[in-house]
Amino acid sequence: TEHLIALLVDDDPNVVVLVLEIFSALLFRSHKPRPTRAHAHLELADRLLTMTKGWGTKDNGLGTADCCSTNVEELSSEGGLVKLTFEVNGDSETDPAEQESQQSDADAGRPKATQPVEKGVIRISDAAELDQPDLVLLNHCAARSQLPRKLYFVFLSAVRLAKAFWGGVEARRQRVNMRVLALSALTRMHFPPDHFGRVFRREGELLPDLMSIVNAEASEGLRDVSCALRVNVLKCLASVALGRKRFAQVSSSAGVSSHHGALPSLLRSEISIITAAQAGDDVDMVNGDASQAMTNHLRLTENIIALLRTLAIPMPSSSGASSLVGAGIVGILVPLVSDQKAAHLGIVREAVKCLQAIIENTNSNSGAAAFRDHDGLEVLAQRIADDVLDEESGAELAMDVQDDDAIEKEALAARNETRELYAALAAEPKGDAAIALQPTPPSS
């Protein structure tokens, strides 16, 4: 764990993303009385909490979805001046950095990159001039402003946040990817909810913004968001929903209580694309980067269903699985059970688990009734019969081949004959053809 934590300060963002993905995989939900060391690691929790900080609120046009969008007309500092002020306050744990952006009229007359004005305050006037490596900048500023060692990572994260903001939409999307991975790992640790509740108090519209990134096709500026980012956001929402305090917020942001909600509509759209490609009706999936495009749709669909399965968990003061029944999720998932294509097994597995969660967490007049109304019993029975028959037919064929081979060997052995003898007799005869035409002498 300590080695992975040390890698979070690496200059290569790909290394940081890989470390966060490892932590997201290791920090799974565990109800054991004695969790692993990583689940209760205080330094790891503090660093993950620091990495969940964003640029601002939606009211200022600096929400998470706004900063990921390519529509930058209303983004106040795209390509302009970025100011960052870091106040060293060892006795408090307030927000590590305050960022303020404004459009610059001209490039001339820009101040120097680092200008410590007073003791305990680090001022970075323009992130565009911070070409030196992050660790070099950290050591330089720490020596000049007497930065405490415990705030090194906080300051480093603030600098990287400012650089990502100035670096353009791709840099901001990469930073958002780190944020959701850090938040996903943080919510799985064994700490009170108030430990990471400040993330949502600081940015109250974070969950709706994350859902906007998932539903990227609905926003013009988010249509080119990568599938990896959307999948990580879905996993983050599933992790956040496991907490009782945020379950209702995730459910409301996903719109699972409505037939035309964001998540049910997105699921229908993705399934229709997969079905059209499977039937050969979609020309775009036949030519070009068809394999990668279809893989992205399959990954996205699988994680959408996984999030719906999480939202089917019964929670106090929440309808949970009953809302999924009202949104028509059962009718969407039942046809997926009959899909026998090998590449779709992940979707089928998640669909069966989600249907099971809905049926178990609703009364018989709701989930089970909807499952029967959509011929779920017949579809499931047919799928089981097909799988069993395929296995039995394959086993019987192999058994028949083995039986025939053993019977043939026993028959040849009873006549003191072998397969080699018949192979030699079947071979092409040697010698002149005139010999074969000579009359056969009479037998005795």
Side-chain angles (χ1 to χ4, degrees):
T1 303
E2 283 74 12
H3 292 293
L4 292 175
I5 293 175
L7 288 175
L8 291 175
V9 301
D10 196 273
D11 287 334
D12 190 352
N14 295 323
V15 174
V16 178
V17 170
L18 182 59
V19 171
L20 291 173
E21 289 178 348
I22 294 174
F23 277 128
S24 298
L26 292 177
L27 296 172
F28 55 88
R29 277 282 175 172
S30 175
H31 299 286
K32 296 181 180 180
R34 297 186 63 182
T36 63
R37 184 179 180 182
H39 281 83
H41 204 292
L42 185 58
E43 182 183 0
L44 174 60
D46 290 339
R47 291 200 174 189
L48 293 177
L49 182 61
T50 301
M51 297 184 70
T52 58
K53 180 176 173 54
W55 295 280
T57 61
K58 198 175 184 66
D59 297 336
N60 299 328
L62 298 175
T64 303
D66 297 327
C67 292
C68 288
S69 176
T70 55
N71 296 332
V72 296
E73 289 82 7
E74 298 180 0
L75 197 57
S76 54
S77 67
E78 181 73 10
L81 193 65
V82 176
K83 293 183 179 180
L84 182 143
T85 302
F86 185 89
E87 297 182 1
V88 180
N89 189 353
D91 297 331
S92 64
E93 293 185 0
T94 55
D95 293 345
E98 177 184 1
Q99 297 183 28
E100 176 181 87
S101 56
Q102 62 183 14
Q103 188 71 24
S104 62
D105 297 333
D107 294 335
R110 284 184 175 178
K112 297 297 182 181
T114 56
Q115 297 178 348
V117 178
E118 53 183 305
K119 182 179 179 180
V121 178
I122 302 175
R123 301 187 186 278
I124 300 178
S125 301
D126 194 351
E129 299 180 11
L130 300 181
D131 295 331
Q132 52 187 333
D134 296 341
L135 296 180
V136 175
L137 176 64
L138 171 63
N139 295 329
H140 176 70
C141 294
R144 298 189 62 178
S145 61
Q146 299 180 3
L147 182 68
R149 192 172 187 84
K150 64 180 181 180
L151 295 180
Y152 277 14
F153 187 80
V154 180
F155 173 73
L156 184 65
S157 180
V159 170
R160 291 176 174 178
L161 199 65
K163 283 187 174 183
F165 184 81
W166 173 84
V169 63
E170 291 301 328
R172 291 194 293 269
R173 289 176 179 177
Q174 187 179 52
R175 188 66 191 183
V176 170
N177 189 32
M178 295 182 187
R179 286 188 65 194
V180 296
L181 287 172
L183 182 59
S184 177
L186 181 63
T187 52
R188 299 177 186 178
M189 299 185 70
H190 286 212
F191 286 99
D194 293 338
H195 189 78
F196 55 85
R198 69 182 68 177
V199 178
F200 304 99
R201 292 193 297 269
R202 185 168 52 202
E203 193 173 349
E205 65 283 349
L206 177 60
L207 295 178
D209 276 356
L210 293 180
M211 194 60 221
S212 299
I213 296 176
V214 173
N215 196 18
E217 287 83 359
S219 302
E220 183 178 354
L222 298 174
R223 291 177 181 175
D224 58 341
V225 171
S226 65
C227 176
L229 177 57
R230 298 172 71 183
V231 168
N232 288 334
V233 170
L234 284 169
K235 293 180 179 179
C236 178
L237 291 173
S239 299
V240 173
L242 291 174
R244 295 185 177 182
K245 287 190 175 182
R246 309 298 168 189
F247 182 88
Q249 297 181 15
V250 175
S251 179
S252 176
S253 301
V256 295
S257 59
S258 172
H259 185 80
H260 300 287
L263 203 61
S265 300
L266 179 60
L267 179 60
R268 293 188 187 92
S269 175
E270 292 297 322
I271 291 178
S272 64
I273 293 175
I274 296 173
T275 305
Q278 187 176 4
D281 297 334
D282 195 347
V283 180
D284 295 335
M285 290 299 171
V286 178
N287 304 319
D289 299 332
S291 178
Q292 184 61 38
M294 181 51 57
T295 302
N296 292 338
H297 286 293
L298 293 174
R299 288 182 59 198
L300 190 62
T301 305
E302 183 177 348
N303 285 274
I304 291 174
I305 301 175
L307 176 57
L308 291 173
R309 178 165 60 91
T310 303
L311 296 177
I313 298 175
M315 287 287 182
S317 66
S318 177
S319 55
S322 300
S323 62
L324 299 181
V325 177
I329 300 299
V330 176
I332 302 175
L333 298 180
V334 167
L336 297 178
V337 178
S338 59
D339 192 345
Q340 296 187 356
K341 195 171 183 179
H344 301 172
L345 289 179
I347 297 178
V348 176
R349 180 181 65 251
E350 290 296 335
V352 172
K353 290 181 179 179
C354 186
L355 289 171
Q356 180 183 0
I358 293 175
I359 294 174
E360 290 179 349
N361 298 320
T362 55
N363 53 49
S364 59
N365 296 328
S366 180
F371 186 71
R372 289 192 302 268
D373 293 342
H374 290 89
D375 299 329
L377 293 175
E378 290 78 2
V379 173
L380 187 60
Q382 185 62 40
R383 177 58 189 262
I384 295 174
D386 293 340
D387 292 344
V388 171
L389 289 176
D390 288 342
E391 293 181 1
E392 289 183 351
S393 60
E396 290 177 357
L397 180 60
M399 189 178 298
D400 292 341
V401 172
Q402 295 177 358
D403 292 343
D404 293 342
D405 187 66
I407 292 172
E408 182 181 357
K409 288 182 178 180
E410 291 179 0
L412 292 175
R415 299 195 300 266
N416 293 325
E417 298 173 349
T418 60
R419 289 182 177 178
E420 289 75 9
L421 174 62
Y422 286 96
L425 293 175
E428 183 178 358
K430 297 180 180 179
D432 192 2
I435 300 176
L437 297 177
Q438 292 178 0
T440 304
S443 63
S444 59

